[in-house]
Amino acid sequence: MSTEEKVIVFDTTLRDGEQAAGTRLGVREKLELAMQLAKLGVDVIEAGFPVSSPQDFEAVQLIAQQVTGPTICGLSRAVDKDIDSAGAALKKAKKARIHTGLGISDIHIASKFKDEKYGKTLKDKKEKALDMGVKAVKRAKQYTDDVEFYCEDSGRADKEYLYRVIEAVINAGATTVNIPDTTGYSIPEQFGQLIADIFRKVPNAKKAVISVHCHDDLGMSVANTLAGVRNGARQVECTINGVGERAGNASLEETVMAMRTRKDFFGIDTKINAKELYKTSRMVSEMLGIFVPPNKAIVGANAFAHSSGIHVDGFLKNPLTYEIIRPEDVGSPKSAVVLTARTGRHGLKHRLSELGYKVSETELEQLYQRFLDVADKKTEVFDEDIAALVGDEIRAVEHIFELQYLHVACGTGTLPTASVKMKVKGKDVPVIAAACGDGPVDAAYEAIRIAAGQSPKLEHYSIKAVTGGKEALGEATVKVIDKNGVRFTGRGVSTDIIEASAKAYVDAINRMMAKE
Ligand code: KIV
Ligand code: ZN
C-alpha cells in the first residue's frame, strides 16, 4: 500500500460490539476474533473493559500477550481503579493503549454526577468532570504513552465546554481524543461541522489524533463517521457488521469500503486488508449469534446478487454496470445471478449454459414458460430445479395426452376422489374422468387410466423434493409395464406433489403410446 496518509482503524467489536443486547463472548472466542482482526489489518483492537469482570480482564490480558501487530486497547472510566486494571491487563502488550474518559454533555454530567461531592451546581459539576478527565489521563500515562480520552455524548454536548475538555486532556498527555456520538443523535453535516469546529476552536487540537465513534440510532453512524473524516478526523471507531449497543456502531466494512471505493472523493484510505472482510463478518455473526441481513452492504448474502431481468442482462454483459465493488475484493463468494420470476430469458439461458445444457431457441422458450410457473410459486429457483425442469421438458416425448386439469379431494374420514381433464393430440374434445382410490395419488392414477383408456401396470412410484424449503419442487418418478411386459419410465415435476405424480404417470403413458 502507498505511503499516502491513512485513517487509523480502531475496532471495538470486542468491547462496544459485545455490548449488543443478548451477546457474550468467551475468552477463547475473543482471542480467536482478535487474531482475525489482526489479519484484517486493523490498527487498534479495543479488547474489552478490564475492570468490568474477571473474564474481560483475562481476555484483554490474553489478547495483549498473544496478538501482535495492532495496538491493544482497554477501556476504563475516569476512575483510578479502572485505569489501574486496564494498565495491569495490558502490561504484556507490545503496543498498549488505555482508553479513558467520561460523559461531558450536560445531561450526562447532571445525571451521572448527581451527588453533591461533584459540586452543587451544573457549572461546578462540569469543572469537577474536567478535572477528573485531566487526572485520568495523567494516571493512564503512568502505564503507557498511548492514551485516548473519550468525551462521551459529544454529539449533544455544550460545544464551548467540549473544546475546553479537549484542550485540557491534550495538555495532560492524551494522544488521541475520541468524539463519540454516543446516542446516534447527530446529522452528518452537523457532525462534520463539529469536527471542523474542534480544529478551529481548540488551539492544540492538531497535537492529538481526533477520533470519531458514532452510533446508529438514526441509521447515520457510517455517514457521520465519514463526515468526521472529511473534516479532519484521522481515526474511525467501528465494529464488524455494525454490531453494538442498541442499534449498534458504525460498521467497519462499510466505513472502510466507502473510503476505498470513493478515494476520488475522500482522498484517503486505510490499511485494511479488505479480502478478509467477508470472513471476519461471518466469524462475528456466528460467534455473537447475530444474523447478517441479506441486504447488508458489503457482507450481506445479496450484496453481489442480481435478480431482475434488466440488471441480470446488464451484469452479464459487463459486471461494472451494476457492481461498484468486485466481490473478490472483500473476500465474498463470487457474484450470483439469483433466478426469480423477474430474471428474464437471458438470465435463464446463461444459467442453463453454466450448468452445461445446450438448448435450442424453441426449447428455451418451452423451458422459460415452465420456469415462470415454478418461479411464480417459489421465491428462488435453484440449479436443481432447473435440472429437473430440463429433464421434464427436453426429455419429453411428443404428448398424446396433456394433463389440463386435476382436482383431488382427500382428508381424514373422506374417500379420496380425483377428476381429470386431458387434451388428446389431434382431437378437439378433451377426455374427462373421475375416480376414487386408496389415497389421492391412487385416485388420480385411476382417473387418468379411465380418461386415457389405458391401464399399464404401475411397478414403481417415488417422489422426492428437488430443493429445500416448503415450496420446493417435487419430482415424481413412475415405472409402468405395458401388456407386452415392456417398461416405461415417466417423470413429473411440480411444486404440488400430487400434480407431479399425475404428470409422471401421464408422461409414462405417453412414452408407452409413442412406442406403440
Ligand atoms: O459510545 C460511547 O460513547 C462509548 C465510549 C465509552 C467510548 O462507547
Ligand atoms: Zn460506543
Side-chain angles (χ1 to χ4, degrees), residues 36-57:
Q36 178 58 27
L37 291 170
K39 250 171 120 184
L40 179 65
V42 305
D43 302 281
V44 186
I45 295 175
E46 187 164 49
F49 183 8
V51 84
S52 67
S53 74
Q55 287 86 347
D56 244 41
F57 184 92

Side-chain angles (χ1 to χ4, degrees), residues 351-395:
R351 179 61 56 85
L352 283 164
S353 95
E354 275 188 338
L355 294 172
Y357 296 113
K358 285 204 177 78
V359 295
S360 67
E361 284 306 310
T362 324
E363 286 169 339
L364 176 67
E365 193 49 42
Q366 283 169 9
L367 275 171
Y368 184 61
Q369 295 312 321
R370 292 289 310 277
F371 165 81
L372 285 181
D373 285 347
V374 174
D376 270 342
K377 293 181 185 140
K378 298 184 66 175
T379 38
E380 187 179 337
V381 182
F382 299 104
D383 290 351
E384 293 87 338
D385 297 323
I386 302 280
L389 287 180
V390 171
D392 199 34
E393 200 62 42
I394 311 288
R395 276 179 57 256

Side-chain angles (χ1 to χ4, degrees), residues 12 15-16 19 180-182 213-215 237 245 249:
T12 182
R15 198 278 297 170
D16 222 351
Q19 284 176 217
D181 183 27
T182 304
H213 174 118
C214 300
H215 279 269
E237 305 200 1
E245 191 85 40
N249 292 57

